[in-house]
Amino acid sequence: KFFQDMSGKRTYFGNLLQNPSTFTMSASWLLSDKQRPLLASFFEAARKDISKETEKNSISGISRIIDPIFKVFMATADSGHIDLVAQLVGTEPGKFALIAGTKLTASRNLPTQITDLLQFIKDNSNGNEQIEKIEIGANEIDAFPVHRLEVNPPDKPGQRMFGETAHLYFYASPQAIWVAFGGDSAVDTLRDAVAQVALPQDPQQARGRVPFMFVTHASNWLQVADDQTPRAIAFNEQARASFKEDNDSMQIIVRPTDSGVRLRVEFEEGFIALMGRGITKGIESGAFNGPGRRRARQRDEDDPRP
């Protein structure tokens, strides 16, 4: 029943869906008349909980800061359109950037309200050194401030993608709230995304109205693939031989049906080539033979007699 009541709507972030990014996740659907009050009640409960928790810690004035923001959230719940996007962009190690955005009911004061909230959090950090590092207005996009917090990747996979030094960026326009993560290129990636979203959408591309969509390009992942083990190296060699820029896309689309939900997976021929190479290697190595046949084959290979 949940999926039957779901209907897609044109996403505010439609222009981003055409990017050949490492991956893109999009959710854009209309809530039913029964679901909208539930989302509104969730926001109301969250607002009250935040106020109570800050009062317990002897922090005053939070209601004045968060009430205007939650009014925007409540208006968005009333409109019933959930519109989200997340995208990983990058083709070179250390220069990947992750961006995410959510469309809200338009409010010209939203950038100022988000700035006030982050400043309030910084002023009431209670000695938290990480929060004290928030840089208010470290940059700007379209005359609205971009805020920055240093958050370095703790593990090697993250460092291969984003570099050893990375930041978390917060940005709000009157239409949406954005976050971005990555090195120095992340804020430029965010700026490009904001500019691209502001452009007119192609009417043909907007007709699909897909509630949920996931798209990935496999060749981008190979730039930061693990090459520390022989098995990983062998797989990466097969993948690089299989994937090209024009054959490495995989797309997953979720749509409602009369009786539930339909999941559609589309992948280009690079994935077929990779599976073929994997099967061929398995046959050559005897991976598809049973244990007895593998032992017999090994005895034949070891037997020096003609």
Side-chain angles (χ1 to χ4, degrees), residues 218-219 222 235-248 268-278:
S219 60
L222 295 175
F235 176 81
N236 293 341
E237 289 177 352
Q238 293 183 43
R240 290 189 176 96
S242 302
F243 292 120
K244 308 300 179 184
E245 291 184 359
D246 59 349
N247 75 349
D248 68 336
E268 294 182 324
E269 59 267 24
F271 290 89
I272 303 296
L274 178 61
M275 287 188 286
R277 286 185 168 87

Side-chain angles (χ1 to χ4, degrees), residues 1 56 58 71 102 109 115 117 122 177 188 252 254 268:
K1 290 183 180 180
K56 288 181 181 179
S58 301
K71 284 183 179 179
T102 178
N109 295 323
T115 299
L117 175 61
K122 181 177 181 178
I177 292 178
D188 292 329
I252 301 174
V254 180
E268 294 182 324

Side-chain angles (χ1 to χ4, degrees), residues 164-230:
E164 296 183 359
T165 301
H167 292 85
L168 183 64
Y169 296 88
F170 306 91
Y171 171 73
S173 70
Q175 293 80 25
I177 292 178
W178 298 79
V179 295
F181 178 76
D184 295 337
S185 63
V187 69
D188 292 329
T189 301
L190 176 60
R191 180 178 288 106
D192 292 342
V194 172
Q196 191 172 356
V197 165
L199 297 174
Q201 292 189 30
D202 184 348
Q204 289 294 119
Q205 296 174 352
R207 287 181 179 179
R209 297 185 178 184
V210 178
F212 295 98
M213 183 170 68
F214 173 85
V215 182
T216 187
H217 289 267
S219 60
N220 289 14
W221 291 105
L222 295 175
Q223 303 300 322
V224 290
D226 181 18
D227 57 357
Q228 301 300 312
T229 65

